[in-house]
Amino acid sequence: MNILSIQSHVSYGHVGNSAAVFPLQRLGHEVWPVYTVNFSNHTGYGQWGGSPIPASEVGSIVHAMEQRGALAKVDVVLSGYQGGADIADAILTTVARVKALNPRATYTCDPVMGNAKSGCFVNPAIPVLLRERVVPQADLVTPNQFELGYLAGMQVHTLADTLKAVDAVMALGPRAVLVTSVHCPDAAPGTISMLAADATGAWLVTTPHLPFKANGSGDVTAALFTAHYSQHFGQSGSAQRALERTTASMFELLQHTHQSGERELQLVQAQDSYVAPRAHFAAVPIR
């Protein structure tokens, strides 16, 4: 597949496109990254250099790619951290143009806003734009549980809440939802889950929870699931298979990173896990 990935870039570490591009390439996909910010490192360090990239520049880059004939070849558009509120228009314009040129193309939106521990860490205008304008145009969305609650306009605590919120988000327009970092009060201690749902069903997969924070893990998860699911978009069982494959790869990546003692994802060192993960976690149908 040819994947146009519109996300942030950091020179040091792995978040945004700096997390998503290599695993996708390792899976054999052609990836064309377009950056929404150009930073030295992710903002979790508290200090960074660089700046957001204006939406006009993002649009100019995409327009020039179209002149090369590239947009007609795009199979998937993937967007993540947007940086500035004006990036939404550039993304939506790109998606519309890609789909006009290739009606079979799909759009994955990773609606990056924040998480349960940190709260919202983006420009306050961005969550509203995501919910009202961007997510309705997406075929697949990949929120964490905190972001899912915002998009659905409800509190999400239990598995039943999560499924109800998934249905509310799918009613906005997306045909499939991946929920990362699912926490439920009745879950077994020391575990964490992910949930995938589309018109054919919903599945939950659970793994041991590794006790550390890994910036960029959501970006890798969104990229891997997009790649695995998009190859068989909407087919029965494709969400289940994509969820199991993504979970196995992510668990091995996070395990490798945790064991290394490093703060940044060991993205290169764990590269075989994207292609042939040894771990397996069964995705259980929940409806």
Side-chain angles (χ1 to χ4, degrees):
M1 292 190 299
N2 297 320
I3 300 173
L4 177 62
S5 184
I6 308 175
Q7 302 195 59
S8 61
H9 167 77
V10 295
S11 295
Y12 173 72
H14 301 291
V15 300
N17 266 332
S18 302
V21 171
F22 177 65
L24 291 172
Q25 291 174 327
R26 191 67 176 81
L27 286 171
H29 302 297
E30 188 71 52
V31 188
W32 301 323
V34 175
Y35 303 142
T36 57
V37 305
N38 185 25
F39 287 166
S40 57
N41 50 268
H42 68 70
T43 58
Y45 284 97
Q47 293 181 321
W48 64 92
S51 60
I53 294 175
S56 58
E57 185 171 335
V58 173
S60 176
I61 291 170
V62 172
H63 177 67
M65 292 176 69
E66 181 177 1
Q67 292 179 315
R68 306 286 83 75
L71 291 198
K73 301 176 184 177
V74 172
D75 299 298
V76 178
V77 179
L78 169 63
S79 71
Y81 180 75
Q82 296 190 15
D86 56 350
I87 295 294
D89 283 328
I91 292 172
L92 292 176
T93 299
T94 299
V95 170
R97 190 59 188 148
V98 166
K99 289 192 171 188
L101 294 166
N102 178 14
R104 293 174 298 177
T106 62
Y107 169 40
T108 296
C109 171
D110 184 9
V112 179
M113 305 178 208
N115 54 60
K117 291 184 178 179
S118 304
C120 186
F121 51 64
V122 297
N123 182 315
I126 289 177
V128 178
L129 283 169
L130 286 169
R131 181 170 63 188
E132 296 182 357
R133 298 189 55 214
V134 182
V135 166
Q137 299 303 315
D139 298 287
L140 166 64
V141 291
T142 62
N144 60 38
Q145 197 172 34
F146 170 84
E147 294 160 343
L148 176 73
Y150 178 85
L151 293 175
M154 61 177 284
Q155 295 291 316
V156 179
H157 300 293
T158 66
L159 183 58
D161 292 339
T162 305
L163 284 170
K164 184 178 179 180
V166 164
D167 289 341
V169 170
M170 290 178 68
L172 296 175
R175 292 184 282 166
V177 178
L178 171 71
V179 186
T180 63
S181 304
V182 175
H183 298 273
C184 298
D186 58 348
T191 64
I192 192 168
S193 301
M194 288 201 295
L195 184 153
D198 62 9
T200 68
W203 294 266
L204 187 75
V205 64
T206 301
T207 70
H209 180 230
L210 299 172
F212 76 112
K213 182 178 181 180
N215 293 90
S217 57
D219 303 321
V220 182
T221 301
L224 292 176
F225 187 85
T226 294
H228 294 314
Y229 185 65
S230 296
Q231 290 178 302
H232 309 283
F233 201 99
Q235 295 180 14
S236 179
S238 57
Q240 180 183 19
R241 293 191 297 271
L243 181 60
E244 289 180 342
R245 180 73 179 273
T246 300
T247 300
S249 296
M250 286 306 303
F251 182 78
E252 291 187 8
L253 169 61
L254 292 173
Q255 188 176 52
H256 194 111
T257 302
H258 185 52
Q259 291 173 348
S260 74
E262 296 291 335
R263 178 171 180 173
E264 296 290 343
L265 288 174
Q266 298 299 286
L267 200 73
V268 175
Q269 295 83 350
Q271 61 182 282
D272 291 342
S273 295
Y274 317 138
V275 179
R278 295 184 296 274
H280 176 73
F281 301 94
V284 179
I286 53 177
R287 70 174 180 196

